[in-house]
Amino acid sequence: MTDQTMPRPVPVSVITGFLGAGKTTLLNRLLQDPLLSDSIVIVNEFGEIGLDHLFIETRDDGMILMASGCLCCTIRGDLVDTLDDLMRKRDTGKISEFQRIVIETTGLADPAPILQSLLSHPYLAARYALVGVVTLVDAVNGFSTLDHHMEAVKQVAVADRIVLTKSDLVDDASNLKHRLHALNPAAPILDVITGDATAAALIGTGPFDLASKNPDVERW
C-alpha cells in the first residue's frame, strides 16, 4: 500500500480515572452525543460500565449496537488484538466504517501500557492516531486516591483533559485543582457540575503530545 492510498488513521480517545470517579456517568452522557454516533467504544467488561439501557442489538461478532449508533465491544485478549481485529473487519467490510474509537479503562489501570501500544506498535501506529486522554478525578476522594495509588497519579499525569467530578459535594476544590495542575500543568481542568465536560471539549483534543507532559510520562 503506497502513501497515497494509505487510509487516514482513525482517531482514538482514552477515558480513564480511578474507581468511583464517575466514568460510567460521563460515558453514558457522551454516547448520546451525535459526535460519537459513528464510533466504536471499547470497554473491559460490559457489566462494569452499566450501559445496558443503551444496548439495542447484539450482533453475531460479539459487538453490541447501541441506540446512539455506536458499536460497543469488550477487550478480547489484549488491546492490541482487539484494535487489530476491529481494523481488519473494517477493511474487509465486515463492520461499517467507524470514524473514531473511544477506549474506557478500568479504574485500576496503569494508562502507560495502553498509550505505549497505540504510539509504538507498528501496525496500530499506522492505522490509529491517539488524539487525547481524558482523566476523571473525584473531588471527594481525589487527595486520598493520589496519596495511596500510583496508578491514579499516572492517570492524571498523562491526561490531555482532566475532568473534576463531584465538586458539588465538597466546600472547596481549589487545593485539589492546584495539586492536579502541579502533576500536569498543560491539561485544562473541566468541571462536570458546571457543564464544561462536553463531548466536543473531551473527544479529539490531540494529537497526544509527550513533550507537553511531566518528564516522568515518557519514562513510564
Side-chain angles (χ1 to χ4, degrees), residues 1-204:
M1 186 175 286
T2 66
D3 290 341
Q4 286 73 25
T5 59
M6 177 68 75
R8 173 182 290 184
V10 173
V12 178
S13 299
V14 177
I15 298 178
T16 188
F18 214 69
L19 295 172
K23 295 188 299 299
T24 299
T25 302
L26 180 67
L27 191 54
N28 267 298
R29 194 174 80 242
L30 293 180
L31 289 177
Q32 297 175 61
D33 192 294
L35 182 64
L36 296 182
S37 61
D38 53 359
S39 302
I40 286 184
V41 180
I42 300 176
V43 299
N44 286 276
E45 294 292 342
F46 291 129
E48 287 185 9
I49 294 300
L51 300 175
D52 292 350
H53 63 291
L54 297 178
F55 294 168
I56 60 174
E57 179 186 338
T58 301
R59 296 160 44 114
D60 292 338
D61 54 13
M63 294 185 186
I64 294 179
L65 180 64
M66 310 181 82
S68 63
C70 298
L71 286 173
C72 193
C73 67
T74 56
I75 293 175
R76 304 180 189 93
D78 64 24
L79 182 62
V80 171
D81 290 342
T82 299
L83 290 171
D84 177 81
D85 180 58
L86 287 172
M87 187 57 75
R88 294 185 191 283
K89 286 180 176 177
R90 179 180 188 256
D91 288 345
T92 57
K94 292 181 179 179
I95 59 176
S96 58
E97 187 167 313
F98 51 87
Q99 299 303 315
R100 73 173 65 248
I101 295 272
V102 178
I103 300 171
E104 191 279 338
T105 73
T106 66
L108 296 172
D110 178 348
I114 296 173
L115 305 187
Q116 185 178 31
S117 294
L118 289 166
L119 294 170
S120 63
H121 188 282
Y123 178 72
L124 297 188
R127 302 304 306 275
Y128 294 100
L130 179 61
V131 296
V133 179
V134 177
T135 298
L136 278 68
V137 178
D138 173 357
V140 176
N141 299 302
F143 262 108
S144 176
T145 300
L146 293 169
D147 285 342
H148 295 99
H149 300 281
M150 188 60 188
E151 294 87 354
V153 174
K154 290 183 178 182
Q155 290 170 357
V156 170
V158 302
D160 296 292
R161 298 286 189 272
I162 298 171
V163 176
L164 192 65
T165 64
K166 307 179 186 178
S167 62
D168 56 329
L169 302 180
V170 298
D171 293 332
D172 185 5
S174 58
N175 287 337
L176 177 58
K177 289 181 179 179
H178 287 313
R179 183 167 182 181
L180 297 174
H181 183 71
L183 287 171
N184 190 338
I189 300 174
L190 308 177
D191 196 320
V192 165
I193 300 303
T194 59
D196 296 333
T198 63
L202 298 179
I203 303 300

